[in-house]
Amino acid sequence: MKKIIILASILLIGITAIDYFNLPSTFLGLKISNMNWDFYMGILNVFSVVILYVITYILLDQREIKRDRNKNEIATLLIRKSYDQCIFYINNMLTEDMINNYIVPKMDFNSTDNPIMMYLKSAPFENENHIMDLVKDGQITKKKLEDYFNVKDKFSSYVFMRITFFDAPEKYSDLKIELLDLIRVEIAKINDVL
């Protein structure tokens, strides 16, 4: 941008000097008056319009780039928060004590509609509506969204297995390790981006 302004200024000063000092008549023998204001004002007007257009375009483009970068960072942070919440629920809400003393006594294993299980499956993903809005806006890549849904599906499976087979750790312990490894990998990817 600065190069364009400097080059245009040098060109404008050069044309003015050539016209004012009447250099074509001095060096080439042409009879030209000292200052052609109509020609000079035409060049000045064109130059001004072009410079204003370039400056406006660059400023608007920079603002749009900043806005998109901000939206992308927000989307990444929302996804990261969901992953952190998954770890929190695994380590604090789905412990042996919590499952046996608070969750299982309130469960109706004969029902397909278990509000406690549904809550635990969806709690870490409370910002999903905001994430989907940013997906619609094009701020989240297909791969990042696939990874997010992969974590969500594995977390949901783990919650189901952990509560349903609360007294059979061999059914859910491998799933827990796999889920935590997956979440750590996804968090590492996010940290590399930030």
Side-chain angles (χ1 to χ4, degrees), residues 117-130:
M117 190 180 300
M118 297 305 289
Y119 170 77
L120 289 171
K121 285 181 178 181
S122 64
F125 307 99
E126 64 188 357
N127 290 317
E128 188 166 313
N129 289 337
H130 299 297

Side-chain angles (χ1 to χ4, degrees), residues 174-186:
D174 288 342
L175 187 57
K176 177 181 178 180
I177 293 168
E178 183 182 328
L179 175 60
L180 286 172
D181 287 343
L182 176 64
I183 292 171
R184 287 186 187 105
V185 166
E186 294 305 319

